[in-house]
Amino acid sequence: MVKTDADLIILGAGPAGLTAAQYGARANMRVLVIEELTPGGQALFIGVLENYPGYMPSTPGAVKSGFELVNNMYQQAQTFGAVFITETVQSLQKEGDIFTVCLASGKTFRGLAVIVATGAQHRLLDIPGEETFSGRGVSYCANCDGPFFKEKKIFVIGGGDAACDEAQFLSRLSSQVVLIHRRDRFRSQKALAERVLRNPHITVCFNTRLLEIRGVQKVSSVLLENILTGEHYEEAGDAVFIYAGAIPQTSVVPDVQKDASGYIITDQEMATSIPGIFCAGDVRACPFRQVVVAAGEGAVAAHSAAAYIDRIKGEEALGAIP
Ligand code: NAP
């Protein structure tokens, strides 16, 4: 068999990639994980992780934040022998049964199977002022930037789980949180929506659209539209936290089958339309994006990749018998 650098190459080290790395290494595969940023993905920004099974933030000594959980996952994967490198992947090619991953640095790595766990990035609203005031009042991370706006007026944009969770987080820092959502009901899980609606520090404006973010050196107001009446009005405020969903990161696998929103389609074994490429986590077409789902998918993907590798190694060995 042609020599490879790893059996399994995992692209991305969020909860899906980290779990796949742990399961893959524990199954005795040579696992290489390539991540361009700090391992942990979006979970790094979860302040209080209250819905990961078995972890209760109120229990003394328990894992509390997404940061702590993914850090443990990272160490656990390394303990089992997974190797991590920090690099940007430029392309992925397949020749025969061998995958070659080309990195921005010019290095290449060859493997027998690949798990794409590249996640998703926050969606921009693409409105005037968003880019200008990014880092000067406009933010996508309440955990990172919320503390700069204690007792200031904060707008949160979106109606999904992230907007509700983060509005809730921000309401602990300020009693003037205004959640702006374009529709007349939340997309988020009911429990999160109810918590927001009950929170005296959060004012919810349904049927409202953010048109522009205004200011001089930093955010000082927003221009809003009441979608029902068409009225435009300006409201003073200091920060805008945007949670308008996510865009799957699939540029390294342009040819795998995707759904209409660009998420990678797999079967229940996490196999994509290209044999040997598996997929897990937020980049995969799945109706429920959670840390626990990503971790579960990572475990399945590693298991399926191991079976695939066994199969191709077996076929090659059989082929070698005269
Ligand atoms: P999401 O569920 O896709 O929600 C995005 C929200 O942004 C929607 O309410 C959407 O409005 C709104 N939106 C999209 N484009 C917009 C635009 N151009 N202008 C204004 N509003 C816009 O995304 P998410 O909340 O980031 O969550 C992503 C995934 O992570 C979900 O699967 C979610 O379940 C998961 N997640 C879970 C938790 C948790 O369990 N605690 C926390 C965070 C995230 P419409 O409703 O009108 O489409």
Side-chain angles (χ1 to χ4, degrees):
M1 174 149 240
V2 182
K3 258 188 112 184
T4 56
D5 303 289
D7 295 317
L8 174 62
I9 299 181
I10 299 171
L11 309 182
L18 291 171
T19 309
Q22 187 240 113
Y23 271 76
R26 215 169 149 256
N28 249 346
M29 288 191 279
R30 293 173 301 144
V31 175
L32 174 68
V33 186
I34 306 171
E35 163 63 59
E36 62 181 346
L37 302 168
T38 310
Q42 306 267 355
L44 286 170
F45 305 112
I46 302 172
V48 180
L49 183 54
E50 63 175 12
N51 57 0
Y52 195 86
Y55 288 118
M56 294 164 67
S58 55
T59 311
V63 172
K64 296 180 190 70
S65 64
F67 177 83
E68 287 169 275
L69 179 73
V70 290
N71 237 339
N72 285 351
M73 286 179 166
Y74 177 43
Q75 282 168 28
Q76 192 179 20
Q78 284 178 305
T79 304
F80 285 117
V83 173
F84 287 74
I85 59 170
T86 310
E87 286 260 13
T88 301
V89 175
Q90 218 149 45
S91 68
L92 172 67
Q93 282 138 29
K94 186 179 186 190
E95 210 176 325
D97 283 333
I98 306 293
F99 288 97
T100 304
V101 179
C102 302
L103 305 178
S105 62
K107 283 185 222 150
T108 59
F109 289 97
R110 298 198 303 173
L112 296 172
V114 172
I115 295 177
V116 179
T118 42
Q121 266 188 0
H122 57 251
R123 179 183 286 119
L124 304 178
L125 291 179
D126 213 10
I127 56 166
E130 183 180 19
E131 195 185 339
T132 313
F133 296 111
S134 181
R136 292 189 285 143
V138 172
S139 172
Y140 306 84
C141 177
N143 242 318
C144 325
D145 299 326
F148 296 118
F149 301 100
K150 279 192 182 144
E151 281 318 323
K152 300 278 186 193
K153 184 159 172 185
I154 300 171
F155 294 95
V156 175
I157 314 300
D161 286 344
C164 287
D165 257 359
E166 304 307 337
Q168 193 71 20
F169 171 80
L170 290 164
S171 75
R172 285 180 221 124
L173 302 171
S174 168
S175 54
Q176 303 175 71
V177 175
V178 182
L179 194 153
I180 306 287
H181 182 34
R182 63 184 179 183
R183 281 193 300 138
D184 63 353
R185 72 198 62 184
F186 286 118
R187 173 181 294 279
S188 69
Q189 298 164 63
K190 203 165 166 237
L192 300 182
E194 278 173 359
R195 240 185 260 172
V196 163
L197 289 168
R198 276 200 309 268
N199 189 322
H201 293 174
I202 304 175
T203 306
V204 178
C205 300
F206 287 118
N207 298 307
T208 304
R209 189 158 51 187
L210 175 65
L211 298 177
E212 189 179 335
I213 300 164
R214 294 175 171 173
V216 182
Q217 293 294 327
K218 55 191 173 95
V219 172
S220 61
S221 69
V222 293
L223 182 65
L224 300 169
E225 178 188 24
N226 179 324
I227 291 172
L228 300 180
T229 62
E231 180 203 356
H232 288 192
Y233 57 100
E234 190 169 359
E235 215 172 295
D238 307 284
V240 182
F241 286 83
I242 300 171
Y243 296 101
I247 299 171
Q249 300 301 292
T250 59
S251 58
V252 291
V253 280
D255 300 328
V256 298
Q257 197 186 350
K258 303 181 189 82
D259 70 7
S261 307
Y263 289 91
I264 295 173
I265 295 172
T266 72
D267 62 14
Q268 62 179 5
E269 292 176 344
M270 306 298 139
T272 70
S273 56
I274 299 181
I277 300 185
F278 300 83
C279 174
D282 282 6
V283 70
R284 193 180 89 87
C286 166
F288 198 40
R289 296 195 171 81
Q290 301 280 300
V291 177
V292 65
V293 174
E297 290 179 3
V300 175
H303 180 74
S304 304
Y308 168 85
I309 290 170
D310 262 3
R311 215 158 43 238
I312 60 168
K313 279 186 174 169
E315 278 165 16
E316 182 138 318
L318 279 177
I321 296 170

